Amino acid sequence: MALTEINFDGIVGPTHNYAGLSLGNLAATSNAGRTSHPRAAALQGIAKMRANLALGLAQGIFLPHRRPDDAWLDALGTHAQDADTGLLANALSASPMWAANAATISPAPDTADGRCHLTVANLVTMPHRSHEWQGTLAQLRLAFADTGHFAVHGPIPAPFGDEGAANHMRLATSHAAPGVEIFVYGEKGGAFPARQHVEASRAVARLHGLDPARTLFVAQSQDAIAAGAFHNDVVAVANGHVLFTHEQAFADRHGFYADLRRIMPDVEIVEVPAARISLADAIRSYLFNAQLVTLPTGESALILPTEARDTPAVWRWLQDMIAGNGPIRRIELVDVRESMSNGGGPACLRLRVVADPATVDPRFLVDNPRLDAIADIVSRHWPEAITPADLSSPALWEQAVHARAELLAMLDLRELI
Ligand code: SUG
């Protein structure tokens, strides 16, 4: 079968909660202390996957990690029972759901050895995310074990922060054609941490064997980071030959667009002016944290969170775009509110891998019957609600470990336990 884009969504884990751990992520910090609904959150994610299947797209999954992360607490010389509340919250985060931060992917047509390269993201900037890579790497090594087609790399060493695909874009005339890979990094300074360091981006490009003539390193604008764009995928998204971006996403947009047009003359840049949609509205609505996908018909579609409809300036702009002659012809809305309240939109929840599905371990691919079986486990075992006080409850920790074990057993993935 030909190369195709597979979206791997992180299944929302049973400890999903609002602990406000992500400085610079305005949704997460403003919802700190709220009651979360892990069961509803996971079912929303499953409904999004079903909607993608209905559009004719290939769909995969990544599994929740073990929480609390006893191995991490152990390495810190403590245990869930006696860890302070801050460390415990960091050990309980369900943040692996945001699969866009799992790894950076360079599809086979872009790499020197003709294999798809994947580098697990080290996520070193945020403590609650810094212990994800081990659990992610274990899954990447299983899902992409076929070394004839895939090369899986370990994390870039600290202190060079790497946030994975959330700060990486690929443009190509078709999924199977050589692409232009764009690494978007944050400059140091500003009110909030810049999580993607250029040193990490350059290392990933070297490890993947990318052609320097088709690889760009682009700085995020300080304004975007200061407005809460802790990842580039909150202000820009690319697919096929379309770049959809906010006017203020990049430090030097004219230089970037010129470089891009030189490498890819037929690129279509859909730029949203700040005069139509402010950075604040773009970030509130997650307009750019959409999944920009190519449908089997060849049409481009934008899969948006319902917050885009609820933000008047954004909805007006989208209506105008659809009525016009642009390359994005269709919009679809999905409800992922529980994840959105932690700053994770539709695009954060998925990792795109361009590959032949026949080369991927089938346990990581889903159709509707498999999603039914996952939804059944979620409905029976995921907590309905978690309050801040619940985080120190041994009963919650036990339920979380048991719920995940049930899911892994059903999916025949016990080796991840
Ligand atoms: O890293 N939220 C995540 C959201 C990640 C969104 N991903 C992309 N944009 N691709 C983050 O900030 C909140 C968890 C908390 O605060 O408890 C959190 O980690």
Side-chain angles (χ1 to χ4, degrees), residues 53 75-76 116 208 235 239 251 267 271:
L53 286 174
L76 289 163
C116 174
H208 291 192
V235 280
N239 176 56
V267 66
E271 184 189 80

Side-chain angles (χ1 to χ4, degrees), residues 17 35-36 38 88 92 383-397:
N17 72 91
T35 298
S36 67
L88 187 57
L92 277 164
E384 191 197 338
I386 297 182
T387 66
D390 295 332
L391 295 184
S392 42
S393 155
L396 173 70
W397 312 335

Side-chain angles (χ1 to χ4, degrees), residues 17-23 25 28-29 89 93 95 98-101 123 126 128-129 132 163 165-166 195 230-234 286 289 339 342-345 347-349:
N17 72 91
Y18 298 119
L21 300 175
S22 256
L23 177 66
N25 172 339
T29 49
S93 174
S95 53
W98 298 299
N101 302 115
L123 295 167
M126 294 289 157
H128 68 292
R129 305 213 63 178
E132 274 178 46
E163 299 276 321
R195 298 204 211 174
F230 50 94
H231 291 133
N232 173 64
D233 69 1
V234 174
Y286 266 33
N289 200 258
S339 167
N342 251 337
C348 299
L349 286 162

Side-chain angles (χ1 to χ4, degrees), residues 174-254:
S174 74
H175 291 315
V180 183
E181 297 208 12
I182 302 155
F183 292 82
V184 186
Y185 60 91
E187 298 281 12
K188 295 184 176 51
F192 297 135
R195 298 204 211 174
Q196 181 73 37
H197 299 177
V198 69
E199 295 87 347
S201 299
R202 290 193 187 280
V204 171
R206 282 190 295 270
L207 287 163
H208 291 192
L210 299 182
D211 177 355
R214 303 183 65 80
T215 306
L216 296 174
F217 299 92
V218 178
Q220 238 189 317
S221 81
Q222 287 291 342
D223 290 348
I225 297 176
F230 50 94
H231 291 133
N232 173 64
D233 69 1
V234 174
V235 280
V237 59
N239 176 56
H241 68 298
V242 180
L243 170 66
F244 178 46
T245 179
H246 192 270
E247 179 185 354
Q248 290 166 292
F250 307 106
D252 170 18
R253 70 189 216 277
H254 295 301

Side-chain angles (χ1 to χ4, degrees), residues 50 61 361-375 410-413:
R50 289 190 201 281
I61 48 168
D361 185 320
R363 293 175 296 179
F364 290 87
L365 299 174
V366 288
D367 53 13
N368 274 313
R370 269 166 76 75
L371 288 178
D372 291 344
I374 295 170
M410 188 277 288
L411 293 169
D412 195 18
L413 280 165

